[in-house]
Amino acid sequence: MIQKEIDIVIVGGGPAGLSAAISAKRNGIDNILIIERNENLGGILNQCIHEGFGVEIFKENLTGPEYMQRFIDEVEKLGIPYMLNSMVIDINSDKELTVCCRDDLYKIKAKSIILSMGCRERTRGQICIPGTRPSGIYTAGTAQNLINLRNYMVGKRIVILGSGDVGLIMARRFTLEGAKVLAVVEILPYSSGLPRNMAQCLDDFGIPLFLRHTIVNTHGNRRLEAVTIAEVDENLKPIKGTEKKIECDTLLLSVGLIPENELSKNSGVIIDETTGGAIVDENLETSVRGIFACGNVLHVHDIVDFVTLEAEKAGISASRFVKNKLERYEMIKVNPGVGIRYVLPHFISTKRDVKFFLRVMKPGRNKMILIKDENRIIKRIPKLRVNPAEMIRFELKKNEIKGVKELWIEMENVN
Amino acid sequence: MLTKRYVCIICPNSCEIEVEYSEDKINRISGNMCEKGEEYVKKEILCPERGLTTTIKVKNGSLPLVSVKTSKAIPKEMMMKIMDEISNVEVEAPIKIGNVIIKNVLNTEADIIATKNINKKVK
């Protein structure tokens, strides 16, 4: 076993980890280590070959690999150390990490840790699809990995369950590669993907979208032969008599992403049940002092540019912590109210300007976001259109929240 | 006269735009919040364009595929034709981001360029 002492350990070398490392280095910390379990840096962007990345940060429409390479180049240029093919298997509350590599086991004592492990896909088991257990059932991201990185075409006649962005993008990808996408099946009355992905991934290719439908059975023994879909009622229960069988050899699941927080829990970090990520303050510090979180392990983002911006902040906070310069103010609570699924950060000091991220419960038009304390409305933010698929960002200036004891964020209709 | 609804893909407002048009003339556009929406819809009706991203086979590379894109948007109906054209192409590693793999693909004035660095395979 090899022992090491590191100022800032970054767990995960995807977009969040890379940006956090660059930011920590630029803020004066040299003894940094990025630990990545894969054989290369860049995380999921390696397989996201489509465009739409970087519009916010670079004002350019880049593909995933192009976006990621800019950060890898910067990490190399700054000489930030990283370990590949290395998996953190434990983090304890003293900020000691156990790392498993091909050659040895490492015990690393960190002054500060940045959690940037990303998220994983919800699987068939978690949504309890009945039926047989043949081959040919994949999560959308696994199929994306096989097709885009390994040159392995997974099927010819495809049904996709869930209309999240990964599923929509895979519908287009399959079609371009010569497969037939027979249906995208969504249990909700609206798509959970971005409207522009609906337009350019489904409408462009005439792929039918079945809203208020789900899969109630799978058929086939060795290989998938068909799925049965059915309409659902307002309680999302299948309606008898609406079943329809679709012959297909492949079922793709695009049914949600889960922040990968098993390690965080070991270290004592408290998790928000709604986001699946850590509870954090305005410094992105978790409930364990010196442990910070950013990117999809904190909450699932729809745009990587926002991951980068969030990770930069975590890098700054961790470097301040290591230099004993992270201010310890008293924090107040920020609560999601009517119409709001979650809002981050969970705690703020009111001593400085804060940028917030929130997601709404359901799509709508002509809404007003209200920022309230116990007595008054502090701010109103009009929104022509809201969608749970699109994160909303807003900022509060310190003079707007001075002296506030608790905050509520709500949404109401505008007439 | 035809009436069609579009979701504008230019910005997150995702305006729902309604257009009335005939053969090659647009009569009325409504629902867009800005001029970009009008431009988008006109282009969608007259000559819709898309950027194409896909992969190309690699010889002796650290990965079997390199991701690529068209250097500019191409007419939508050319997408499948370009996919066919690309399916027979193979490139030798190493490859750098920005390398032109096919110049002026099918006379669209767009090049197929690499979007990923691929190293030579280590034996």
Side-chain angles (χ1 to χ4, degrees):
Chain A
M1 180 135 72
I2 300 167
Q3 311 262 350
K4 272 190 174 195
E5 283 185 19
I6 304 282
D7 285 348
I8 302 178
V9 172
I10 292 153
V11 187
L18 295 173
S19 301
I22 292 165
S23 142
K25 174 80 180 183
R26 286 193 182 138
N27 281 281
I29 305 296
D30 292 319
N31 186 12
I32 304 173
L33 178 63
I34 305 171
I35 305 175
E36 168 57 45
R37 71 179 167 193
N38 228 313
E39 58 201 336
N40 37 34
L41 296 172
I44 201 69
L45 291 181
N46 275 289
Q47 67 187 59
C48 298
I49 63 165
H50 52 279
E51 291 181 305
F53 304 89
V55 179
E56 187 79 19
I57 289 183
F58 298 116
K59 311 291 172 213
E60 281 181 70
N61 191 6
L62 301 171
T63 63
E66 290 171 308
Y67 186 92
M68 137 198 127
Q69 195 59 43
R70 294 194 179 190
F71 293 89
I72 296 177
D73 288 348
E74 192 65 17
V75 163
E76 299 283 4
K77 200 175 100 194
L78 292 170
I80 299 171
Y82 54 87
M83 288 164 74
L84 301 175
N85 301 307
S86 305
M87 176 124 166
V88 178
I89 52 173
D90 186 51
I91 304 174
N92 67 26
S93 53
D94 295 327
K95 298 194 279 285
E96 287 169 332
L97 301 96
T98 312
V99 187
C100 184
C101 314
R102 284 187 183 160
D103 56 340
D104 214 327
L105 201 64
Y106 286 72
K107 198 91 189 169
I108 299 175
K109 175 87 185 109
K111 282 189 187 145
S112 173
I113 296 171
I114 297 176
L115 305 171
S116 52
M117 294 87 84
C119 56
R120 63 167 171 253
E121 297 179 281
R122 188 166 284 129
T123 59
R124 177 179 185 172
Q126 286 158 302
I127 54 168
C128 304
I129 303 173
T132 56
R133 293 292 186 268
S135 69
I137 303 177
Y138 299 87
T139 58
T142 299
Q144 188 180 46
N145 183 297
L146 291 167
I147 294 174
N148 291 349
L149 294 180
R150 295 170 208 275
N151 198 21
Y152 183 84
M153 190 61 184
V154 302
K156 292 190 178 119
R157 291 174 60 82
I158 323 287
V159 171
I160 300 176
L161 176 62
S163 61
D165 288 309
V166 196
L168 298 180
I169 279 162
M170 284 315 291
R172 173 176 61 184
R173 187 79 191 108
F174 268 113
T175 310
L176 287 172
E177 289 293 348
K180 178 87 185 150
V181 181
L182 302 157
V184 175
V185 182
E186 169 62 57
I187 196 164
L188 296 173
Y190 50 86
S191 161
S192 51
L194 299 171
R196 63 180 104 174
N197 281 335
M198 299 285 298
Q200 54 186 343
C201 296
L202 298 190
D203 302 349
D204 268 9
F205 300 98
I207 297 168
L209 172 65
F210 292 85
L211 296 173
R212 294 188 186 87
H213 278 73
T214 193
I215 289 179
V216 293
N217 207 351
T218 60
H219 311 269
N221 285 317
R222 295 179 69 82
R223 178 76 192 194
L224 185 69
E225 287 165 12
V227 297
T228 304
I229 70 169
E231 215 176 313
V232 297
D233 62 21
E234 56 272 27
N235 301 315
L236 308 182
K237 297 281 172 241
I239 303 169
K240 265 217 159 72
T242 63
E243 295 88 354
K244 191 155 57 171
K245 198 167 171 180
I246 305 176
E247 281 177 24
C248 59
D249 57 29
T250 304
L251 170 63
L252 237 58
L253 304 176
S254 174
V255 290
L257 302 167
I258 307 162
E260 198 153 0
N261 270 306
E262 284 68 21
L263 285 174
S264 324
K265 287 178 196 161
N266 287 358
S267 69
V269 164
I270 298 170
I271 302 294
D272 172 342
E273 279 183 23
T274 307
T275 59
I279 290 179
V280 292
D281 65 16
E282 63 190 15
N283 300 312
L284 300 176
E285 190 174 33
T286 66
S287 55
V288 180
R289 287 202 167 185
I291 300 187
F292 302 82
C294 57
N296 282 353
V297 80
L298 178 57
H299 59 127
V300 177
H301 296 60
D302 37 84
I303 295 177
V304 74
D305 300 55
F306 297 159
V307 168
T308 298
L309 295 172
E310 191 174 83
E312 279 172 0
K313 193 159 139 191
I316 293 169
S317 299
S319 58
R320 294 183 73 83
F321 177 86
V322 169
K323 292 187 275 188
N324 279 320
K325 282 186 181 162
L326 194 66
E327 300 88 348
R328 291 293 171 196
Y329 297 125
E330 203 179 313
M331 297 279 174
I332 68 151
K333 199 161 179 260
V334 182
N335 303 289
V338 180
I340 308 293
R341 196 160 84 82
Y342 72 80
V343 56
L344 284 183
H346 302 79
F347 293 94
I348 60 167
S349 68
T350 72
K351 300 286 192 291
R352 51 165 102 103
D353 304 348
V354 196
K355 289 200 173 81
F356 294 85
F357 282 124
L358 70 77
R359 275 188 202 276
V360 299
M361 290 282 194
K362 34 180 209 203
R365 283 184 179 268
N366 299 322
K367 301 284 182 185
M368 187 72 76
I369 309 268
L370 303 177
I371 322 285
K372 295 173 162 178
D373 71 2
E374 51 270 59
N375 310 312
R376 66 191 171 105
I377 295 171
I378 295 168
K379 196 172 185 173
R380 289 185 165 88
I381 306 167
K383 286 278 159 197
L384 279 170
R385 206 181 52 82
V386 295
N387 187 333
E390 291 173 44
M391 229 155 57
I392 295 172
R393 287 185 306 162
F394 67 95
E395 189 174 7
L396 291 178
K397 299 284 181 196
K398 61 182 172 193
N399 58 357
E400 293 175 302
I401 41 179
K402 199 176 163 192
V404 166
K405 298 274 175 283
E406 195 163 349
L407 270 184
W408 283 268
I409 320 292
E410 293 178 3
M411 192 169 65
E412 68 174 27
N413 292 323
V414 180
N415 297 318
Chain B
M1 178 95 75
L2 291 159
T3 305
K4 215 170 162 182
R5 294 186 83 114
Y6 289 88
V7 174
C8 180
I9 63 171
I10 302 295
C11 91
N13 282 329
S14 299
C15 292
E16 279 168 26
I17 307 178
E18 199 173 274
V19 204
E20 285 173 21
Y21 66 103
S22 53
E23 204 64 10
D24 53 359
K25 191 168 163 287
I26 292 160
N27 298 325
R28 200 177 62 85
I29 295 182
S30 60
N32 53 311
M33 284 189 270
C34 78
E35 287 168 15
K36 283 181 183 166
E38 193 170 321
E39 270 171 53
Y40 170 74
V41 168
K42 277 183 184 163
K43 209 154 197 185
E44 278 299 289
I45 291 173
L46 302 174
C47 176
E49 288 186 340
R50 295 287 183 271
L52 175 69
T53 58
T54 181
T55 53
I56 284 183
K57 271 185 259 170
V58 177
K59 255 188 247 169
N60 303 317
S62 51
L63 282 172
L65 295 170
V66 59
S67 53
V68 296
K69 68 175 181 185
T70 50
S71 56
K72 64 185 197 74
I74 48 148
K76 203 161 109 178
E77 81 266 8
M78 291 302 288
M79 281 205 279
M80 290 317 276
K81 290 176 188 148
I82 295 177
M83 286 301 292
D84 281 347
E85 179 76 8
I86 279 176
S87 66
N88 302 314
V89 176
E90 215 173 335
V91 278
E92 182 86 30
I95 302 156
K96 285 267 168 224
I97 286 184
N99 281 7
V100 175
I101 294 175
I102 306 171
K103 227 183 146 44
N104 187 18
V105 63
L106 296 180
N107 292 317
T108 53
E109 288 172 18
D111 300 332
I112 300 290
I113 58 176
T115 59
K116 193 184 275 189
N117 295 335
I118 304 282
N119 297 326
K120 249 190 146 46
K121 192 180 202 164
V122 188
K123 288 195 176 126

